Amino acid sequence: MSLWTSADIAAATGGTASADFVVDGVAFDSREVGPGDLFVALKGATTDGHKFLDQVFSRGAGGAIVSTPPANATEAPHVLVPDTMAALEALAHASRARMHGPVIGITGSVGKTGTKEMLFACLDRGAPGTVHRSLKSYNNHTGVPLSVARMPAASRYGVFEMGMNHAGEISALTRIVRPHVAIITTVASVHIEFFKDEAGIADAKAEIFEGLAPGGTAIIPYDNIHRDRLIAAALAVDARVVTFGLGEGADVRALETMRTTSGTFVTARLLGRELGFTIGQPGAHLVSNALAVLAAVEAVGADVAIAGLALADMGGLAGRGARVSVPTADGGPNGGRALVIDESYNANPTSMRATLEVLGAEPATRRIAVLGQMGELGADSAAFHAGLAEPVLAAGVAHAILVGEGMQPLANALEGRLEFVHVPDASAARAALIALLADGDAVLVKGSNSVGLSAVVAALSDGKG
């Protein structure tokens, strides 16, 4: 069954179809268009999707949404609308309206994508092939409507991630997603330069509750300092509140955790009953995310025991905890191999501390931290960077490679306390790490995406050094 017909698209957007056609996917990036896809020609600040119409149809696009008719209209089936961005949003609303299964929305200062992937794995384990989720980190004003527009009408579950860096952004997104369950993973000083204080971030995250379906469930981090503020926002829309965390009093609570060779074994209390499960990766932050996931699984009526099995099989995502064995120039008892923990996708003070703790618990001959500067921290940026010194030292790091000008405060804080180098960019970090890397090392690579440390991991993974 096709995802959309031209008649469906025209009805949803108020546009005019040039011909009858059907499509099986939706994209707004011309590079991602495949055979049978619908291309939405968005106009941005620096480019215009209409310039790529010939390219996408040569790649087999099934149709397009346009605001300017193509020159070769007879060979480029399309729906003509006044505004393609408004049309994408309208298509998302139509997609959401025709899907009748439970929908879960996820936001939070850290852990959104990992939690989304955990939840997808848990639901898909019990209902294979019927769970739709947003791909990559498509969580902004274009990514969310795209993800919802891609949802098949017959989906049994929908899982969507929502992000923001300004107040009001999640409010708009949650009205597209209209979740039955809304998760806030945590609230921390991420994007703090755009807010007066952290309480403002909590309020912006709590906007996700504004779109909750009647009788919906709000899943809230019990241990977070802004817990009561979040609960008040959820109760204001008559949501059912479920809390998760480590603290006594959480509705979904980890009673005991134990590090294993492959991850973490957790004994949890889930709304009055106990459950033992394994998470396929180490890390206290992942325990917290898993508790939120189990709360959501319970809220939509899915099988919690099956979800526990899925968590055991989960590995790390590229850029978000993937563990990669890479070759080193020397030999040794480990066969000339080192472990790289790939956290290169993004970084903030909270996630830095969490992943340094993971590094500190990793058995290794030597621990190395490649840390890139963190962005959008405002006037307190220097203090946030310097504040990483104690977590670095507590992790037993033998050598640090600090990347970017913003890391100077951390370099100052570590002076005389730890062996480190401070380099300007990812290329220099790669060279420094290659010169240093040896058999049995465990290396954490983490920094804001703009630093480009994913290239360091890619080079090591390719064995090219």
Side-chain angles (χ1 to χ4, degrees):
M1 182 178 293
S2 60
L3 180 65
W4 294 102
T5 68
S6 54
D8 293 334
I9 298 167
T13 63
T16 303
S18 67
D20 291 335
F21 61 87
V22 297
V23 294
D24 298 315
V26 185
F28 56 63
D29 186 333
S30 61
R31 297 165 296 184
E32 295 184 357
V33 173
D37 282 348
L38 174 70
F39 175 62
V40 185
L42 299 181
K43 293 183 177 181
T46 59
T47 189
D48 183 346
H50 293 80
K51 296 179 180 179
F52 303 98
L53 288 172
D54 288 344
Q55 175 184 324
V56 299
F57 280 106
S58 71
R59 298 180 62 171
I65 294 178
V66 299
S67 57
T68 303
N72 56 341
T74 58
E75 299 176 12
H78 61 272
V79 173
L80 182 65
V81 299
D83 182 328
T84 53
M85 185 63 227
L88 176 60
E89 292 176 352
L91 194 64
H93 282 291
S95 179
R96 177 65 185 86
R98 69 183 187 176
M99 186 273 195
H100 301 296
V103 172
I104 302 101
I106 302 167
T107 192
S109 297
V110 296
K112 294 183 293 294
T113 301
T115 301
K116 176 198 68 181
E117 293 299 322
M118 272 189 182
L119 185 52
F120 169 78
C122 289
L123 295 174
D124 188 67
R125 185 72 166 250
T130 67
V131 185
H132 177 77
R133 74 192 187 285
S134 46
L135 298 180
K136 301 181 180 178
S137 291
Y138 282 171
N139 62 19
N140 63 6
H141 69 288
T142 53
V144 169
L146 175 70
S147 297
V148 178
R150 288 173 164 176
M151 180 167 56
S155 299
R156 285 185 59 183
Y157 302 98
V159 182
F160 299 98
E161 174 184 344
M162 287 172 263
M164 64 90 200
N165 52 23
H166 290 84
E169 292 175 345
I170 288 180
S171 180
L173 299 178
T174 192
R175 286 175 166 82
I176 296 174
V177 174
R178 288 192 292 118
H180 297 89
V181 177
I183 299 172
I184 296 180
T185 59
T186 192
V187 175
S189 296
V190 182
H191 311 301
I192 190 69
E193 72 171 294
F194 304 120
F195 293 88
K196 178 182 177 181
D197 52 29
E198 200 173 88
I201 296 175
D203 292 340
K205 295 298 182 185
E207 291 171 12
I208 194 172
F209 303 141
E210 296 173 10
L212 270 174
T217 300
I219 298 177
I220 290 170
Y222 183 85
D223 303 315
N224 192 267
I225 190 173
H226 304 289
R227 175 192 66 207
D228 293 343
R229 195 179 191 96
L230 299 176
I231 290 174
L235 293 177
V237 297
D238 296 322
R240 171 197 179 213
V241 173
V242 176
T243 58
F244 67 94
L246 304 180
E248 190 168 349
D251 298 313
V252 181
R253 180 188 173 208
L255 301 176
E256 186 178 5
T257 63
M258 181 175 67
R259 173 76 182 259
T260 70
T261 55
S262 59
T264 306
F265 180 77
V266 183
T267 302
R269 177 170 290 127
L270 177 67
L271 299 169
R273 56 177 168 150
E274 286 194 12
L275 175 72
F277 63 94
T278 297
I279 304 171
Q281 302 175 71
H285 60 300
L286 297 178
V287 173
S288 179
N289 293 348
L291 295 173
V293 164
L294 292 178
V297 169
E298 185 278 336
V300 299
D303 193 314
V304 173
I306 289 177
L309 296 176
L311 291 172
D313 292 338
M314 280 213 65
L317 305 174
R320 295 183 173 90
R323 300 166 78 83
V324 185
S325 175
V326 302
T328 62
D330 60 340
N334 299 285
R337 310 294 295 185
L339 171 69
V340 173
I341 303 171
D342 178 14
E343 288 279 356
S344 60
Y345 183 77
N346 220 335
N348 56 66
T350 300
S351 64
M352 279 283 201
R353 289 172 179 271
T355 51
L356 281 165
E357 184 178 318
V358 170
L359 176 65
E362 189 65 40
T365 304
R366 184 177 56 166
R367 300 185 188 98
I368 299 171
V370 182
L371 305 178
Q373 63 189 30
M374 304 175 288
E376 298 183 349
L377 294 178
D380 292 327
S381 178
F384 280 122
H385 282 87
L388 295 178
E390 296 311 318
V392 167
L393 295 169
V397 172
H399 194 103
I401 299 173
L402 311 180
V403 190
E405 183 180 351
M407 275 295 181
Q408 186 59 53
L410 178 56
N412 295 341
L414 291 175
E415 189 69 46
R417 306 170 71 188
L418 176 73
E419 185 178 344
F420 70 89
V421 294
H422 186 193
V423 298
D425 53 33
S427 177
R430 169 184 162 181
L433 180 58
I434 294 305
L436 189 65
L437 199 62
D439 180 73
D441 285 344
V443 184
L444 171 66
V445 180
K446 188 165 183 66
S448 288
N449 197 35
S450 59
V451 181
L453 293 181
S454 59
V456 175
V457 177
L460 292 171
S461 301
D462 291 340
K464 295 178 180 178

